[in-house]
Amino acid sequence: IDADSSTATVLITPIDDPSWEPDETVYLTVSPGAAYGAGSPSGASVTIISDDLPPDLIVSAISVPTTAGADTDITVTDSTKNQGTGPASEQSATGFYLSTNTTWDAADLFLGSRSVPALGPGAIDSLPSVLHVPPGTATGSYYILAKADTNNAVVESLENNNIKASSSIK
């Protein structure tokens, strides 16, 4: 702040990039010094709103065999879709988990993943994946849970809609 001045203009220049991101806020606080005091208010903020459109990755379809057993390979086909209005410009991965129910949690066993290319709005990537059911898996009913963006590589408008459960496998 110039001498004998009670105000100053601070220029904030956002840098535009192609990735969608949540709103960001810049905070400026003036602290008193030996030669001046801080007025009231002593700070200000400005929020930068992204003009980019957000992606939203989901698993739109999953197919699995009706039966499987311990220590066997199964082929799972999934369709990972960007249902958002903006591009998912980064490569991501869809992960597969063996579960005793249709809800993903820490008890589910990771079976593997596949790469998903960058997807434009409305784009779908479908691919079969060969997964191995671990030896010692108890007999019973299971589900394969497919989780889009399992590696959290893409910042999405919704981060809690990435999981789809298969029909049961016996």
Side-chain angles (χ1 to χ4, degrees):
I1 300 175
D2 293 330
D4 299 322
S5 179
S6 62
T7 64
T9 299
V10 177
L11 184 62
I12 306 293
T13 306
I15 299 172
D16 194 19
D17 61 27
S19 298
W20 179 83
E21 52 205 359
D23 295 347
E24 297 172 296
T25 303
V26 177
Y27 298 95
L28 176 69
T29 303
V30 177
S31 298
Y36 62 89
S40 179
S42 61
S45 66
V46 63
T47 300
I48 302 166
I49 299 172
S50 179
D51 62 350
D52 300 308
L53 300 173
D56 183 22
L57 298 177
I58 63 165
V59 176
S60 59
I62 182 171
S63 66
V64 297
T66 56
T67 59
D71 202 23
T72 62
D73 288 337
I74 60 171
T75 300
V76 173
T77 301
D78 82 283
S79 296
T80 299
K81 178 180 181 178
N82 177 3
Q83 70 174 6
T85 53
S89 53
E90 298 85 10
Q91 178 176 325
S92 66
T94 294
F96 302 98
Y97 301 82
L98 185 65
S99 181
T100 57
N101 56 49
T102 59
T103 305
W104 184 75
D105 59 40
D108 297 330
L109 180 64
F110 179 73
L111 297 177
S113 64
R114 72 171 186 90
S115 292
V116 177
L119 296 174
I124 298 173
D125 183 66
S126 297
L127 200 66
S129 299
V130 177
L131 305 172
H132 189 76
V133 178
T137 301
T139 302
S141 291
Y142 292 91
Y143 300 88
I144 300 295
L145 305 180
K147 183 179 182 193
D149 195 26
T150 196
N151 55 351
N152 296 315
V154 177
V155 178
E156 304 172 65
S157 59
L158 292 172
E159 295 285 358
N160 61 355
N161 64 343
N162 294 34
I163 298 169
K164 185 166 187 76
S166 72
S167 55
S168 69
I169 302 173
K170 299 194 187 248

